Amino acid sequence: GVFDARSKNRSQRRHPALVARCTKHFNREGTDLSDHAHSAQACEATPSAALSAGTDFSVILATRDRPGLFAEALASVLTQEQAVFEVIVVNDGSTAANMAEYEEGWAEASRRLGRRFQIHTLVHRPRGHGQSYSINFGVALAKGKYVCFLDDDDRWTDPLHLQRATAAIDARAQRGAVVDLFMGNQDA
């Protein structure tokens, strides 16, 4: 689904104590801070990414200890054609045993998307923080006009999904309709 980010509550609370690290993080000028040691509060004190103007979609991918399934979901996002989007990964405290496999996929996404790819790893808790918390955490960081959610065990089968969503939303907007939810019909 796609959520109109213009209508979301921008005053959502952030929880810097729960952020273990920001694997990819940029300041306002677009300087990569990911190689510098910085505290969780520093992650929250600066913008999540310096995006180019016109980012249409923020794709939120929440995950925990499922790197194989997550890799398929991320790959389906990376195949999207003719769409301007950012990807916000919220890792809900996966175990160290899974991190190497996650990081392989993250490296490719970072290479392809640059500053439009962010990773935020929450502090490990025995049961995690939960999918709702992780998704809301990602939404609070979103810079796109619309927010998309993709579960780590699903994938988009249509490489033009975001382009078609844009066309459908724009067509309704031209008729004066406000679109605050768009749901695509794809095999999951």
Side-chain angles (χ1 to χ4, degrees), residues 69-103:
L69 292 170
F70 172 82
E72 292 180 32
L74 180 60
S76 76
V77 173
L78 295 177
T79 64
Q80 292 301 298
E81 300 174 9
Q82 302 175 4
V84 180
F85 60 92
E86 69 173 340
V87 175
I88 301 169
V89 174
V90 181
N91 178 0
D92 189 3
S94 294
T95 61
N98 288 310
M99 290 308 293
E101 192 174 347
Y102 274 118
E103 289 170 356

Side-chain angles (χ1 to χ4, degrees), residues 37-139:
H38 58 287
S39 69
Q41 286 195 312
C43 292
E44 292 298 325
T46 58
S48 57
L51 295 176
S52 61
T55 298
D56 294 327
F57 297 98
S58 294
V59 181
I60 312 297
L61 282 164
T63 189
R64 178 181 168 90
D65 288 328
R66 300 196 301 184
L69 292 170
F70 172 82
E72 292 180 32
L74 180 60
S76 76
V77 173
L78 295 177
T79 64
Q80 292 301 298
E81 300 174 9
Q82 302 175 4
V84 180
F85 60 92
E86 69 173 340
V87 175
I88 301 169
V89 174
V90 181
N91 178 0
D92 189 3
S94 294
T95 61
N98 288 310
M99 290 308 293
E101 192 174 347
Y102 274 118
E103 289 170 356
E104 288 175 23
W106 294 343
E108 172 63 16
S110 181
R111 184 188 65 75
R112 290 182 61 189
L113 296 177
R115 294 184 287 190
R116 294 180 295 129
F117 183 71
Q118 306 171 46
I119 304 160
H120 300 276
T121 297
L122 305 179
V123 169
H124 178 79
R125 294 174 66 185
R127 293 187 189 164
H129 297 81
Q131 184 179 23
S132 296
Y133 180 88
S134 297
I135 289 171
N136 287 332
F137 186 90
V139 168

Side-chain angles (χ1 to χ4, degrees), residues 1-5 8 12 57-62 73 76-77 86 88 90 131-140 142 146-156 161-162 180-184 186:
V2 177
F3 175 76
D4 185 344
K8 74 179 185 183
Q12 292 165 324
F57 297 98
S58 294
V59 181
I60 312 297
L61 282 164
S76 76
V77 173
E86 69 173 340
I88 301 169
V90 181
Q131 184 179 23
S132 296
Y133 180 88
S134 297
I135 289 171
N136 287 332
F137 186 90
V139 168
Y146 298 101
V147 177
C148 305
F149 306 104
L150 183 62
D151 292 341
D152 66 355
D153 62 346
D154 292 331
R155 66 181 184 270
W156 289 334
H161 173 64
L162 293 178
D180 58 53
L181 179 65
F182 174 87
M183 296 188 71
Q186 296 189 45

